[in-house]
Each structure stands twice: as C-alpha cells, then as structure tokens.
Amino acid sequence: QVQLVESGGGLVQAGGSLRLSCAGSGRTFSTYSMGWFRQAPGKEREFVAAIRWSSWSSGNIDYADSVKGRFTISGDYAKTTVYLETNSLKPEDTAVYYCAAERGSRLLTIASEYDYWGQGIQVTVSS
C-alpha cells in the first residue's frame, strides 16, 4: 500500500499562488507516476499534471492545457514526494486537489489508471 498526504491548500485571491505538496509513504516502486487531479463541485475529476520517474531518469511531465504556463509539477523520486506550484490562479481553479500515484513505465494522465490517492485538499480562488 501507498499512503499519500496532501498539504498546502487554502484560500487565495485571483492572481495569487499556492504550493501544494504530496508526501508518499509505504510501498515504493522503481518506476512510477505521480499526478495531480482536481474536482470542482458538480464536475468530474480532471487531470491537472503528472510526472513519471524511474531510478535512472528524471522522467516525463505533462500538463492539462488549462494550466500550462501557470502550474509547475516537480518532486523528489527518492522521497515519493510531488509538488504543484500554482501561479496566476483563477477562480475557475477552485476545486479539491488530489494527489495520485501508480507504478509503471508510462506517464499516466487518466484518473482511472491510478490506484493510490490522497484525501484531497481544498483550493479556493476568490475573484
């Protein structure tokens, strides 16, 4: 099992920034993806960003079009930790943000491909 715990959410004004963190513990994998998803009220969970690591490479990164140029994903392979730097936040970024992890050699961007999830953390952007 892998346990994921998110932190860093909160309330911010439009144009502001937040840094979300996700710390993993428990079982580790030699090659895995970690991703961020979000879910706004009444909407489906959507992909935000993901990063894939292996013990021999820094891995791949992908972003949803809606956050490209504003959000940056990074992390620490050895610590199973991933960060999401969110800048130029907009009210439409308001959602519960979830961290996810899954082993494998592909960069995963679909929620159903992930088995391990955090509890989620609220991000609210006021206009």
Side-chain angles (χ1 to χ4, degrees):
Q1 289 292 329
V2 176
Q3 292 80 42
L4 302 172
V5 179
E6 301 99 336
S7 61
L11 174 64
V12 64
Q13 289 188 333
S17 301
L18 285 173
R19 189 185 195 219
L20 307 185
S21 300
C22 174
S25 61
R27 186 177 181 182
T28 59
F29 308 117
S30 60
T31 303
Y32 64 96
S33 292
M34 291 190 79
W36 288 96
F37 292 78
R38 66 187 182 186
Q39 189 166 16
K43 295 188 177 181
E44 293 187 354
R45 190 168 299 189
E46 65 174 3
F47 169 71
V48 175
I51 185 168
R52 182 192 67 85
W53 285 298
S54 68
S55 59
W56 58 89
S57 74
S58 59
N60 310 100
I61 290 175
D62 196 12
Y63 296 96
D65 288 342
S66 60
V67 305
K68 281 181 181 177
R70 300 189 298 122
F71 291 11
T72 302
I73 189 170
S74 63
D76 188 323
Y77 167 81
K79 296 181 179 179
T80 319
T81 298
V82 66
Y83 308 101
L84 187 68
E85 192 75 40
T86 67
N87 298 307
S88 302
L89 284 162
K90 306 174 182 180
E92 50 264 42
D93 293 317
T94 295
V96 176
Y97 283 69
Y98 296 89
C99 172
E102 184 56 62
R103 64 181 174 183
S105 59
R106 294 187 301 111
L107 179 64
L108 305 177
T109 62
I110 299 173
S112 60
E113 295 180 317
Y114 285 88
D115 281 338
Y116 303 103
W117 291 87
Q119 291 299 308
I121 191 164
Q122 180 69 45
V123 171
T124 303
V125 185
S126 63
S127 58

